[in-house]
Amino acid sequence: MSKFVSEVLDLAAEQNGLLTTQQAQRRGISRLVLSRLVNQHAISRLAHGVYATPEGSMGQHSELRAAWLSLDPQRFAFERLEGDPSGFTVTHRSAAELWGIGQLIPDKIEFVSTVRKRTSGKMSACDDVRSPAMTSRSSRACRAQR
């Protein structure tokens, strides 16, 4: 079991202390192992399919990061950050809070994307968003209830 603990902690360390079930499975770590690690308090469950190390669960913006990971749970963070135009970007009040702009306190986490995404749980389905800066493309806004 200690082999799995180190593998899970290494994976989470690559993503600010967070990982998803599907990412763990890509590394050969089963759902059962994740469940056992939760029972042993090595990791905790932040959201459906998203786990955190003790450092990750207490980290700044951990709820926002967990929501971002849950939008595309099979891909690692580094894969998303390689300039993928179909990825999800934090937006609106959530982005303002993330960047420390103003004194807005968002009641939900908001993302925008150029692709349609069906979600479940606390995340609502993505809505069409069209801004004046976009000419022919629309983007999708997704909101997660806090």
Side-chain angles (χ1 to χ4, degrees), residues 34-118:
L34 292 175
S35 178
R36 288 181 178 164
L37 293 176
V38 168
N39 291 338
Q40 295 173 1
H41 305 290
I43 59 175
S44 60
R45 185 173 179 250
L46 280 187
H48 178 75
V50 181
Y51 298 89
T53 62
E55 299 81 18
S57 63
M58 301 303 288
Q60 188 176 21
H61 307 296
S62 61
E63 187 179 355
L64 184 135
R65 288 184 175 139
W68 181 69
L69 285 175
S70 70
L71 287 169
D72 193 1
Q74 68 278 4
R75 292 177 51 204
F76 297 107
F78 75 88
E79 294 172 325
R80 300 170 191 212
L81 298 174
E82 293 176 340
D84 181 7
S86 64
F88 291 88
T89 303
V90 66
T91 188
H92 296 85
R93 290 171 287 188
S94 301
E97 179 189 37
L98 182 67
W99 286 96
I101 299 170
Q103 296 182 11
L104 300 170
I105 300 173
D107 58 340
K108 56 189 160 206
I109 300 171
E110 299 169 295
F111 297 93
V112 67
S113 177
T114 57
V115 296
R116 185 160 190 78
K117 173 73 177 172
R118 285 258 192 233

Side-chain angles (χ1 to χ4, degrees), residues 2-23:
S2 64
K3 172 188 163 207
F4 291 120
V5 172
S6 64
E7 287 182 31
V8 166
L9 295 178
D10 288 345
L11 171 57
E14 296 170 13
Q15 303 183 127
N16 295 307
L18 304 176
L19 71 146
T20 69
T21 303
Q22 291 181 18
Q23 292 169 343

